[in-house]
Amino acid sequence: MKRKTNKKNTYRVLYYWLTGVIVILSLLFFFRTSLITYYYLIKNKWAGANFENENLEKNIKISEIQKIQAVFTKYKNNVFGLDISQHQGKIIWDSIQFIDKEIPISFVFVRATRGAFTQDASFKKNWRNLAKKNIIKGAYHYYDVNRNSTIQAENFIKTVTLEKGDLPPVLDVEELPKDQSLELLKTGLINWLTIIEKNYKVKPIIYSNDAYFIHHISDMDLTDYMIWTANYNPIESPLHQKWSFWQFTEKGIVKGITENYVDINVFNGNIEDLKKLTL
């Protein structure tokens, strides 16, 4: 009886020991991405890492960090900037200075309006705070592809007053229409651009993603307009051949913006080239 009891105890200890090892290995496997990413962030001090919101740092993938760093390296002689809206939440403007500890924020595009009647809830505050900082600012309109283009242009005009040193207004179009044809959409886009140019005496910038430019509006004559394109793939440059701005990630982490990620953009030139584009 004694030998059987000892054997049972041995099996029990072995069982608990193996169970413990399996549990530990499972936990390590489950959390491996978060642990590695967190280590990578601390070691490389990514983007002036803002540890006021640890969820942002923990959830960003290493591949995304590497892609962003690759763009910083390739375009080290260019200037970088952000685009923001109410989705960034409360911004601590005293902390807004760098995307990385060595990469100044040279420009910021701010969403001003959306569709025919909506103003961005944070536009006035963001616009006012940017004016106090030595950062070039610009305003953009998110286009409702199913609404009247003239009314949308009027919404932007009554909301945005541009001054000397500001970037030209931006038309942001990303969706496909449901209530009208693609051809009518294109007519509306040209109408918006024309009205805005007449009002502000400068040709607007047009923003969309590479795929939209290539597959949906490639037949539009945009020769005289600056192009701001988005492409989040790990590539060396956008597919659009004539780009002035490239939004290369939506997963930027910037000190002073703690509630959400922020888009990061690179300008196809240096700071002097950028200033030449302003009003």
Side-chain angles (χ1 to χ4, degrees):
M1 290 293 293
K2 201 169 187 178
R3 291 183 61 184
K4 285 184 179 181
T5 301
N6 289 338
K7 187 177 289 188
K8 285 182 179 179
N9 289 336
T10 301
Y11 286 149
R12 187 178 292 111
V13 171
L14 184 60
Y15 170 79
Y16 288 135
W17 186 84
L18 288 174
T19 301
V21 170
I22 291 171
V23 170
I24 291 172
L25 289 175
S26 298
L27 289 171
L28 288 174
F29 179 81
F30 182 77
F31 290 110
R32 73 191 187 286
T33 301
S34 296
L35 291 170
I36 293 171
T37 301
Y38 193 70
Y39 169 77
Y40 189 95
L41 285 163
I42 294 174
K43 182 179 179 181
N44 292 278
K45 296 180 181 179
W46 139 247
N50 181 1
F51 292 101
E52 294 168 345
N53 190 334
E54 294 185 358
N55 289 331
L56 296 182
E57 288 86 10
K58 288 181 179 180
N59 292 333
I60 190 170
K61 295 180 179 179
I62 291 179
S63 58
E64 185 72 16
I65 297 172
Q66 292 172 334
K67 180 192 74 176
I68 294 169
Q69 293 292 346
V71 175
F72 285 157
T73 300
K74 178 176 173 61
Y75 293 95
K76 61 183 178 181
N77 295 322
N78 294 53
V79 292
F80 292 83
L82 314 174
D83 59 274
I84 61 175
S85 71
Q86 65 189 51
H87 298 301
Q88 270 63 56
K90 182 179 179 181
I91 296 175
I92 305 171
W93 283 99
D94 289 342
S95 300
I96 298 294
Q97 189 174 5
F98 297 104
I99 298 172
D100 195 317
K101 289 186 176 181
E102 299 179 355
I103 300 177
I105 297 172
S106 298
F107 61 91
V108 176
F109 286 107
V110 185
R111 189 176 75 172
T113 50
R114 180 188 181 107
F117 306 108
T118 304
Q119 290 81 43
D120 188 280
S122 299
F123 172 68
K124 290 182 179 179
K125 184 184 295 184
N126 289 336
W127 197 246
R128 184 171 60 250
N129 279 291
L130 274 170
K132 297 176 183 178
K133 302 181 75 71
N134 189 27
I135 298 175
I136 297 172
K137 67 185 190 300
Y140 74 91
H141 172 78
Y142 189 93
Y143 194 83
D144 186 333
V145 295
N146 297 301
R147 289 297 186 101
N148 181 278
S149 57
T150 298
I151 298 176
Q152 293 195 62
E154 292 171 349
N155 185 23
F156 184 86
I157 290 169
K158 73 179 182 181
T159 303
V160 179
T161 300
L162 296 178
E163 301 174 343
K164 183 179 179 180
D166 290 338
L167 289 164
V170 180
L171 172 62
D172 174 355
V173 56
E174 304 178 29
E175 302 175 3
L176 291 175
K178 296 179 180 178
D179 300 336
Q180 64 174 329
S181 68
L182 186 58
E183 291 308 311
L184 283 176
L185 169 65
K186 295 173 187 176
T187 301
L189 295 177
I190 293 299
N191 182 54
W192 191 97
L193 293 166
T194 302
I195 294 172
I196 295 298
E197 179 179 356
K198 184 178 180 180
N199 183 80
Y200 292 100
K201 309 298 187 236
V202 63
K203 282 194 173 295
I205 300 167
I206 182 166
Y207 166 95
S208 194
N209 57 70
D210 268 346
Y212 202 97
F213 278 119
I214 293 169
H215 298 297
H216 304 303
I217 57 174
S218 60
D219 58 342
M220 288 180 63
D221 185 6
L222 301 175
T223 306
D224 296 330
Y225 296 96
M226 284 182 286
I227 300 298
W228 176 12
T229 190
N231 193 320
Y232 303 150
N233 294 306
I235 54 178
E236 292 189 353
S237 59
L239 300 179
H240 201 294
Q241 297 300 308
K242 184 182 169 289
W243 64 276
S244 296
F245 298 90
W246 172 24
Q247 185 185 87
F248 59 91
T249 182
E250 60 180 350
K251 296 291 186 181
I253 302 174
V254 173
K255 186 176 182 181
I257 300 177
T258 63
E259 295 180 23
N260 211 336
Y261 296 108
V262 62
D263 301 331
I264 302 180
N265 306 269
V266 58
F267 170 65
N268 196 10
N270 58 34
I271 189 64
E272 294 306 318
D273 296 326
L274 181 65
K275 289 178 179 178
K276 290 177 184 177
L277 301 182
T278 61
L279 277 63

